[in-house]
Amino acid sequence: MKNSIYLLIFVLSGIFFGGCLKEDENPAAGPPAAWTGIPAVRSVYKAGDVRLSPQALGGAHQTSGVVISEYAGNNLPPGFVVIQNNWRNQIRGLILQVGTALAPSFAKGDSLLIDLNGATLTRIDGALAITNLSPTQISKVSSSNPVIVQTVAISNLQRWPDRYESTLVAVTADVEPFPQTGETFAGTKKITDGPDHMLDVVTDPGAAFANEHIAPSASFQGILFMGGGNTPQLRLQKLEDMMDPSGPVYPGYPEDFEFPFDGKQNYNVTGEHQYDNEDQTVVIDNNVDLRTGNWKFEQSLLGNLANDRVVSGRQAVRFQQNLSVPSYLQMNYDVPNGATKVTFWYGSYGNDVSCSFDLEYSTDEGRTWHKIGETISDAHPRSQSASAKLATYTMDIQGPVRFRIHKLGLGPSSGTAVRNGRLGVDDFAIYQNY
C-alpha cells in the first residue's frame, strides 16, 4: 500500500513540474514542495545577497537543471557551471560556482539536482550565481540529455535580459565593424542584427578558439552572461558555435516591413478589379514600395494586429489561409553582390494551424525561379509560443539575385491531413557573398 502511495506522489510530481518542452523534469524523490524551478529561485534575489533556505524559497530547498556549459572551451569564468531548466514553459538559467576542482566533472547535457539549503544567491561581476555549495549538495541524475537552444533577436535580449541570462541562445547577426582579413575571436566583438541592436561577443584570450578567424556574419550560439554594469554579453564555447558563417547583411536590411504603415491591407491578387471612390474600375498590381525596394504581395498583406508575427516595430507580413493557389512575397529588384545566406522570422498568425512554404531565388530578373533547401512546415501558433522561429538558408550565389517566399496552395485545412493556416513573416535579411 505504501509503495502505491509513493508511486502516485511521484507521478503527480512529474505532471505538476513537467512542461510542453521536456528538457528536464524534476528528479527529486521527495514531495513536490521540496523542489522548485530556476525561475522561482531567481525571483528571490532583489538587490542583495540571499541565504537560501526553505523559508526563502516557499518551503523548497532543491532545484535542478541540465548543464549547458562546456568546460573544455575555457571561455567561462573559472569554477563556473551553468544549468538551465524548463519550468511551467519558462526556460531559465543559473550559474553554480562550484570551484575549479569540481567544475570539470560536469559535462554539457548532465542533469543535476541541487540542494540549495545554506547556499547563497549573489551576483558575481554582474552575473547571478549560487555560491557556497559543497560537492555533496550536487547530484548528477543522468547524462547526455537534450539541451534547448533559444533563437533570439538582439532586440529581445535587450528588452528582457533577465529572461535569457545564463541560458543557451543563438543570435544571427553581423560583426560590427566589418572584421579585417584574418581577424580572430579574441577580445570583445560587437554584433548587430538591426539598427540600434548591438550585443558584445566576449572571448577570453585563453579560450580554445580565441585565435580562430571570425566571419563577417553568422548565427552565434552561446551563453548569455550579464557583465559589469548589467551589460549583456554572449560567450561562445567552441568554434562550431559560429554557425552558418556568411558575408555581411546588405545595407538597409533586414527589411522590417514597417514602411508604408497600413500600406497594403487586403489579400487581393494581381489582375483583380475593384472600384475606387469614383466608381472607376482599377486593376490591382499588388506591388508595394518598401524601404529596400519594390515587392509584390500576392495573397499577402502588411498586418499590424495583435496576432501578427511582429518581431520588430509594429508591422509584419501576413499570408492568406486555405488557398488552393500559391501566394507570394516577392522582390521585384535584384541585390547586386550575390548571396551567402537569407534569414527571416516566421510563425502562424494567432492560433492558426501550420502551413508549408519555400524560399526561391531568381538570377534572371524574375523570369525563372528555383527552390532553396527543404520545404518548411513547422509554423507554430501563438498558444505554443509567442516568439517567432528563425528560418536560415545558406547558399553560394554569385552576381545579381532576388528572392521570394512561396506559400504553397495546399487547399482548405482539414484536421491533420491538410494544414494551411495564415503565415506571418518579419525581418527579411539577405547576406552578401564575400
Side-chain angles (χ1 to χ4, degrees):
M1 182 66 175
K2 283 185 177 179
N3 289 340
S4 297
I5 293 172
Y6 291 153
L7 178 60
L8 177 61
I9 291 173
F10 180 80
V11 170
L12 291 175
S13 173
I15 293 172
F16 180 78
F17 290 111
C20 295
L21 297 171
K22 297 287 188 179
E23 181 183 79
D24 59 283
E25 295 183 3
N26 171 24
W35 183 94
T36 192
I38 289 176
V41 177
R42 293 182 62 92
S43 70
V44 303
Y45 185 88
K46 303 304 178 185
D49 293 359
V50 179
R51 184 173 177 82
L52 298 175
S53 65
Q55 290 75 25
L57 295 169
H61 66 92
Q62 295 174 325
T63 194
S64 62
V66 168
V67 175
I68 60 173
S69 52
E70 299 183 52
Y71 185 81
N74 205 29
N75 197 34
L76 301 178
F80 277 19
V81 172
V82 188
I83 62 173
Q84 70 179 26
N85 71 12
N86 176 45
W87 184 58
R88 298 177 179 174
N89 288 331
Q90 298 179 80
I91 299 172
R92 298 291 188 271
L94 197 57
I95 295 169
L96 309 177
Q97 188 184 48
V98 300
T100 55
L102 188 59
S105 62
F106 300 117
K108 186 177 180 179
D110 286 349
S111 179
L112 305 183
L113 177 65
I114 317 298
D115 182 354
L116 299 170
N117 214 354
T120 301
L121 184 63
T122 186
R123 285 203 176 270
I124 302 175
D125 295 328
L128 194 63
I130 302 290
T131 64
N132 298 325
L133 282 169
S134 70
T136 58
Q137 289 177 274
I138 306 173
S139 304
K140 185 188 298 184
V141 178
S142 60
S143 301
S144 302
N145 293 282
V147 174
I148 295 173
V149 181
Q150 301 177 89
T151 301
V152 187
I154 292 176
S155 58
N156 286 339
L157 298 180
Q158 294 172 330
R159 190 178 303 144
W160 301 297
D162 186 67
R163 180 182 300 180
Y164 296 102
E165 180 187 358
S166 300
T167 67
L168 200 58
V169 300
V171 176
T172 297
D174 285 355
V175 178
E176 179 68 34
F178 192 92
Q180 299 179 7
T181 301
E183 186 170 339
T184 65
F185 275 92
T188 299
K189 312 295 180 184
K190 291 192 178 295
I191 59 174
T192 177
D193 63 359
D196 301 320
H197 300 159
M198 303 288 289
L199 179 67
D200 288 343
V201 174
V202 176
T203 306
D204 292 334
F209 57 95
N211 295 322
E212 300 288 348
H213 296 167
I214 189 168
S217 180
S219 291
F220 297 95
Q221 177 178 294
I223 299 174
L224 189 76
F225 269 73
M226 298 305 295
N230 207 34
T231 303
Q233 58 181 233
L234 190 66
R235 287 181 174 262
L236 280 62
Q237 302 187 86
K238 56 183 182 294
L239 180 62
E240 292 76 16
D241 286 341
M242 182 178 68
M243 303 174 293
D244 301 325
S246 69
V249 70
Y250 273 96
Y253 283 84
E255 173 54 69
D256 57 11
F257 307 106
E258 290 302 297
F259 173 84
F261 194 74
D262 280 341
K264 186 170 190 294
Q265 303 178 53
N266 55 61
Y267 294 112
N268 293 336
V269 299
T270 300
E272 283 190 348
H273 294 70
Q274 68 179 16
Y275 292 103
D276 64 14
N277 292 335
E278 298 178 359
D279 291 337
Q280 298 296 312
T281 302
V282 294
V283 179
I284 301 165
D285 67 11
N286 280 336
N287 295 325
V288 180
D289 287 323
L290 304 180
R291 286 191 309 104
T292 54
N294 188 265
W295 293 65
K296 180 184 290 296
F297 286 73
E298 187 89 357
Q299 289 287 10
S300 56
L301 55 76
L302 291 168
N304 46 60
L305 302 180
N307 282 324
D308 280 305
R309 285 294 184 165
V310 176
V311 173
S312 63
R314 297 185 294 163
Q315 197 163 250
V317 178
R318 188 195 321 149
F319 290 78
Q320 180 62 292
Q321 62 183 332
N322 297 329
L323 297 176
S324 298
V325 295
S327 51
Y328 298 102
L329 173 67
Q330 177 177 309
M331 296 167 59
N332 290 332
Y333 62 97
D334 291 337
V335 288
N337 302 324
T340 51
K341 183 167 63 180
V342 168
T343 65
F344 55 86
W345 297 88
Y346 71 96
S348 293
Y349 172 82
N351 288 325
D352 278 15
V353 297
S354 186
C355 61
S356 296
F357 62 88
D358 295 323
L359 180 70
E360 299 174 342
Y361 74 96
S362 173
T363 54
D364 58 6
E365 299 181 332
R367 289 186 290 273
T368 59
W369 293 88
H370 311 278
K371 178 181 173 181
I372 298 175
E374 301 297 323
T375 299
I376 294 180
S377 301
D378 66 345
H380 57 297
R382 294 185 69 87
S383 59
Q384 179 179 327
S385 175
S387 298
K389 296 180 180 179
L390 183 68
T392 301
Y393 301 83
T394 57
M395 63 212 69
D396 184 11
I397 299 174
Q398 306 288 331
V401 62
R402 64 184 63 182
F403 295 93
R404 71 181 183 184
I405 298 173
H406 169 192
K407 183 175 181 287
L408 306 187
L410 303 178
S413 297
S414 176
T416 58
V418 177
R419 295 181 180 272
N420 195 7
R422 287 165 289 189
L423 172 67
V425 167
D426 202 6
D427 285 10
F428 189 99
I430 308 172
Y431 297 79
Q432 304 177 52
N433 217 312
Y434 75 105

